[in-house]
Amino acid sequence: MDIEIQSIDNIKGKGLFAKKDFHAGSVIFEEDPVVCCQFSWNAAYGYKACDHCLRPLETAEENARRLSAKPELHLPYPNLCHTDKSTITYCSLCGIHYCSTKCQTTAYNQYHRTLCFERKSDIDDHPLYQLNEMWKQMHYPPETSTIMIIPRILATIQQAVNPEEAQAQFLEFCHRTVNEDSKIAHKFLGEKFVDQISTLHNLLVKAMKPDGISHFLTQEGFQTLIALIGTNGQGVGTSAISEWVTKSLQQQLSPEETVKLDQFIDKLYEDMDSHSGSFLNNEGVALYCLQSACNHSCMPNAEATYLHNNSKLSLVALTDISAGDEICMSYLDECTLQRSRYSRNKELGENYLFTCTCPKCELQAHDPNVTSDEEEEDDEMDDMSE
């Protein structure tokens, strides 16, 4: 491969390094997730995605109609939508839908055989259903993860040809002490829901047979799994309408047609924003082996994206990267990256238990230790006094 994982030091541990030069905009690598799961509320609100790979199950036109609440809407260039509804299939026992028999078979062989509800009439009483409902009551949109990826992790271990090897793969994501796991788990759940961790734990224990995973079903083991997804979970987003828009704008059109298309897309996004707000994508969380080896930088030289409109991750270079350079991405969103060094490190410390020493943070090392909100308040006071 054109990248490699190297040991750095006792603080950072490992990192991902380039073995060749990459130009800005080029794909550094692509990988499928070890496991992936749609967000709970995202699924509940009718965002139709393959239960295994998150590929959209709606056509772009159906997607646009639902998000804009305009059932008569027609998209131009419908041939640019790549959703093939003829390949959609579902589990005959629990009714879960997949984009293809390939995804259904892969899911069944990896984890679904263990997690299938078997009979739809039993769903309401099933511990996994109750676990999902409890989680939804604790975490309303905007969602950043879902606890339902944990049963998939455990079922993947149980169904593996070599369970010990599968377990070792997941343990590669864990590099913390028991106390650190507990701290991350509490932050992940939110302070007002910390007391309910035992309820979530008990529901998981009821749902899963202990075969080969009993140590993960202890209180400490459960906190380790929560910390694992809290620090390594990567957000996944897919969208039939977004893919259609991208392909529409890549067409060779006349100036008049281009203006007409731009106006149509602007109005479409205005209508979708009015009805659905910013929640436009099928969203979920996944674990990736290579991506998880990327350390954070407040000046990232790479970012994760989903060029195939499913859970296959593409790491794309944001800047030119030379052979031997460390490849870093941001663990913070774009808005947070613009905040002060103190604010950035406050969030990194709370969620990932480390302090960033990237070039941007080193350059701002002597800045005042105040949050960006405090800076804004000071600026407002200065404006008022002038």
Side-chain angles (χ1 to χ4, degrees):
M1 295 186 68
D2 297 325
I3 47 95
E4 63 181 352
I5 299 173
Q6 298 179 8
S7 295
I8 300 178
D9 52 40
N10 292 332
I11 298 175
K12 279 192 171 183
K14 300 177 181 179
L16 200 65
F17 290 80
K19 293 173 64 177
K20 73 164 198 175
D21 296 344
F22 292 97
H23 294 297
S26 62
V27 176
I28 300 170
F29 68 81
E30 294 186 320
E31 66 173 326
D32 290 313
V34 182
V35 66
C36 177
C37 188
Q38 188 175 7
F39 289 155
S40 299
W41 278 111
N42 192 261
Y45 279 128
Y47 288 77
K48 299 176 182 178
C50 175
D51 193 64
H52 181 68
C53 77
L54 280 186
R55 185 181 296 280
L57 299 183
E58 294 176 301
T59 65
E61 189 165 86
E62 289 171 335
N63 194 203
R65 287 176 173 179
R66 178 173 59 82
L67 294 173
S68 64
K70 293 186 177 297
E72 305 303 321
L73 177 70
H74 290 285
L75 296 185
Y77 316 112
N79 58 301
L80 297 179
C81 172
H82 287 185
T83 302
D84 186 355
K85 299 191 70 172
S86 69
T87 66
I88 295 175
T89 184
Y90 63 93
C91 174
S92 60
L93 296 174
C94 65
I96 285 177
H97 282 69
Y98 300 93
C99 66
S100 64
T101 54
K102 180 181 178 181
C103 270
Q104 182 178 10
T105 301
T106 301
Y108 185 81
N109 291 335
Q110 181 183 334
Y111 55 82
H112 188 67
R113 185 175 72 245
T114 297
L115 303 180
C116 182
F117 289 137
E118 296 186 355
R119 290 181 299 277
K120 294 179 183 179
S121 59
D122 294 341
I123 288 180
D124 290 357
D125 297 324
H126 199 288
L128 282 180
Y129 175 84
Q130 295 172 357
L131 177 66
N132 190 43
E133 290 302 302
M134 174 62 71
W135 176 258
K136 284 162 61 181
Q137 296 308 309
M138 295 168 63
H139 292 271
Y140 288 90
E143 297 171 277
T144 56
S145 194
T146 174
I147 203 166
M148 299 310 292
I149 197 172
I150 289 181
R152 294 195 180 188
I153 291 172
L154 297 179
T156 295
I157 294 172
Q158 290 180 318
Q159 290 188 207
V161 174
N162 187 333
E164 291 183 0
E165 186 178 299
Q167 177 177 287
Q169 182 180 37
F170 284 111
L171 289 176
E172 278 294 309
F173 292 100
C174 307
H175 305 284
R176 295 166 303 274
T177 66
V178 171
N179 287 338
E180 287 175 330
D181 282 343
S182 176
K183 184 175 181 179
I184 294 172
H186 283 203
K187 175 66 179 178
F188 185 75
L189 294 175
E191 290 302 321
K192 65 179 180 179
F193 296 116
V194 167
D195 292 341
Q196 297 186 43
I197 190 171
S198 60
T199 302
L200 295 172
H201 174 232
N202 290 336
L203 288 170
L204 181 68
V205 171
K206 288 180 181 178
M208 304 297 301
K209 294 180 180 179
D211 302 344
I213 57 168
S214 57
H215 53 294
F216 283 123
L217 297 180
T218 65
Q219 187 76 30
E220 286 184 358
F222 181 55
Q223 289 186 160
T224 295
L225 290 171
I226 292 178
L228 184 159
I229 60 173
T231 54
N232 294 281
Q234 169 66 38
V236 180
T238 67
S239 168
I241 190 62
S242 178
E243 182 182 47
W244 176 87
V245 167
T246 299
K247 293 185 181 302
S248 294
L249 295 175
Q250 292 173 345
Q251 295 182 106
Q252 296 296 319
L253 301 174
S254 68
E256 294 79 8
E257 290 173 322
T258 299
V259 169
K260 187 176 180 180
L261 177 62
D262 287 343
Q263 291 174 340
F264 178 86
I265 292 174
D266 287 345
K267 181 63 166 64
L268 174 60
Y269 273 106
E270 181 182 315
D271 291 339
M272 291 192 299
D273 180 71
S274 176
H275 181 69
S276 302
S278 60
F279 304 108
L280 302 181
N281 297 341
N282 304 316
E283 296 182 340
V285 62
L287 295 175
Y288 298 90
C289 290
L290 289 176
Q291 175 272 335
S292 69
C294 280
N295 286 315
H296 165 83
S297 172
C298 297
M299 296 178 65
N301 57 10
E303 68 174 355
T305 187
Y306 299 92
L307 301 177
H308 304 280
N309 211 19
N310 60 10
S311 60
K312 180 186 285 291
L313 180 146
S314 302
L315 194 72
V316 177
L318 292 173
T319 65
D320 288 345
I321 299 172
S322 300
D325 286 352
E326 183 177 6
I327 300 169
C328 294
M329 56 190 295
S330 174
Y331 295 177
L332 305 173
D333 61 36
E334 197 62 39
C335 181
T336 307
L337 277 180
Q338 305 308 314
R339 299 174 69 188
S340 69
R341 175 195 59 83
Y342 181 79
S343 292
R344 297 195 306 271
N345 275 292
K346 184 172 182 291
E347 183 159 335
L348 289 169
E350 290 176 351
N351 292 285
Y352 301 98
L353 305 184
F354 74 86
T355 299
C356 183
T357 56
C358 74
K360 181 176 181 178
C361 287
E362 290 294 293
L363 187 65
Q364 299 173 343
H366 299 295
D367 288 359
N369 286 335
V370 294
T371 66
S372 294
D373 291 338
E374 289 169 343
E375 291 171 343
E376 292 173 2
E377 290 175 4
D378 288 343
D379 290 341
E380 291 174 0
M381 292 296 293
D382 289 340
D383 291 340
M384 291 174 63
S385 62
E386 290 178 357

